[in-house]
Amino acid sequence: MKGLVMKSTGSWYLVRTSDGSLYRCRLRGKIKLKDLKVSNPVAVGDIVEFDLEAAGEDTGTIHQIADRENYIIRKSTHKTAHSHVLAANIDRALLVVTLVSPRTSFGFIDRFLITAEAYDIPVTIIYNKSDLYDAETAQYQQQILKMYAHINYPGIICSTVSGQGIPEIRELLTGYKILFSGHSGVGKSTLINQLAPGLALKTTEISDYSDKGKHTTTYAEMFELAPDTFIIDTPGIKELGLVDIAKEELGYYFPEIRERLNQCKYYNCLHVNEPGCAVLQDLKAGKISLTRYESYRGIMAETDNRR
């Protein structure tokens, strides 16, 4: 039998077949033993083949994972030298961020965008909690939105309190598999509840002491909103370590640097302090965002800006 992985709990997987039937499946042992270097060989969004464990039962054993079109991956926070796949076979990712309570760092945003670029996944940035903005923050928000939109990362300013942006987000969903991701506390589950009230996902308040969110989504899970329309809810990400991206390749995953790669004097230019660097020239001329370039330099220097 063949099906789509709808939920992953680490040991059991909820698999949906084409007729809508659901089966609880686990991995066959030999798949676990493969040197995949990931903490979760099967991810939500995977297409798998499985056998029923007994006739008439709703449990099965997964014996084959289909090749993935793409996926979002990060370094595992639990297993050294391993990675963790957030979700696979995604049409678009919605990265939910906040400028207030708690503020999402540019380092985190840019690392997510790099990962999406590496696997050719379009991203729309959702700037949540606009109801908490004062006039100065609202003006700053427009600057950030324009900065990312300029390099083809469209954004939507939204609020689950006022309803701003909710219709625009809903229009992005129809007919696609959409990944929702972001830090804990950015309002991701509350936003999904606005878009699909029937799901009634669990939410919690932000801690007044730390101004940080608590994990309310424990496992990655896919929900069908309508025929051919799915959303994937993932646990809040605390850290987002990049996987298998060498320093020499990093510039390719920044669109504003990639379009200038052939303009530098040296073919192996790292855009740090090399003479004749087109990136540095355009940075000085104000054609490249200093904020984005600082993220690039931070990652190049291997400083910990995963958060």
Side-chain angles (χ1 to χ4, degrees), residues 36-276:
L36 297 175
K37 291 295 183 183
V38 292
S39 58
N40 59 329
V42 175
V44 168
D46 273 330
I47 303 297
V48 298
E49 294 183 12
F50 66 98
D51 298 318
L52 292 181
E53 294 186 342
E57 297 292 328
D58 64 351
T59 58
T61 304
I62 295 170
H63 60 82
Q64 184 70 38
I65 306 167
D67 291 340
R68 294 165 174 157
E69 293 181 8
N70 58 40
Y71 50 91
I72 291 286
I73 191 170
R74 66 180 174 115
K75 287 183 180 178
S76 174
T77 55
H78 303 295
K79 292 186 177 182
T80 304
H82 279 66
S83 305
H84 181 83
V85 179
L86 297 181
N89 302 315
I90 305 157
D91 293 316
R92 176 174 291 275
L94 300 188
L95 178 61
V96 184
V97 305
T98 49
L99 297 187
V100 291
S101 188
R103 179 184 174 275
T104 306
S105 72
F106 290 116
F108 178 87
I109 295 172
D110 292 334
R111 282 176 177 267
F112 187 93
L113 296 178
I114 291 167
T115 302
E117 282 285 336
Y119 298 98
D120 200 26
I121 299 171
V123 179
T124 296
I125 304 175
I126 307 300
Y127 303 95
N128 198 17
K129 302 188 182 182
S130 62
D131 55 287
L132 300 179
Y133 291 176
D134 56 21
E136 183 179 354
T137 306
Q139 185 178 14
Y140 180 58
Q141 171 68 92
Q142 289 296 333
Q143 296 173 6
I144 301 305
L145 186 147
K146 290 178 182 178
M147 178 182 75
Y148 283 109
H150 181 68
I151 50 175
N152 296 319
Y153 297 118
I156 297 174
I157 299 173
C158 82
S159 165
T160 56
V161 175
S162 68
Q164 180 185 10
I166 301 299
E168 291 87 342
I169 298 172
R170 188 174 282 115
E171 288 180 4
L172 295 176
L173 306 181
T174 305
Y176 298 105
K177 289 188 180 74
I178 304 290
L179 170 73
F180 280 76
S181 192
H183 273 319
S184 299
V186 295
K188 182 166 51 65
S189 295
T190 303
L191 175 58
I192 292 175
N193 283 339
Q194 284 266 340
L195 297 166
L199 298 182
L201 301 184
K202 183 180 177 183
T203 62
T204 57
E205 297 296 325
I206 301 298
S207 166
D208 290 334
Y209 174 74
S210 65
D211 198 33
K212 294 180 179 179
K214 300 177 181 180
H215 295 289
T216 52
T217 302
T218 309
Y219 304 108
E221 186 167 4
M222 182 185 295
F223 302 96
E224 184 180 25
L225 302 188
D228 299 319
T229 299
F230 299 87
I231 59 173
I232 303 171
D233 186 24
T234 57
I237 304 172
K238 183 179 180 181
E239 299 180 355
L240 185 62
L242 299 179
V243 177
D244 294 334
I245 295 179
K247 288 183 179 181
E248 296 78 14
E249 301 172 348
L250 182 61
Y252 185 81
Y253 302 113
F254 280 75
E256 64 271 50
I257 294 178
R258 182 172 62 232
E259 69 180 23
R260 294 169 169 86
L261 291 181
N262 295 328
Q263 301 172 27
C264 293
K265 182 176 180 179
Y266 300 105
Y267 76 92
N268 59 348
C269 183
L270 294 180
H271 324 295
V272 177
N273 53 19
E274 298 87 345

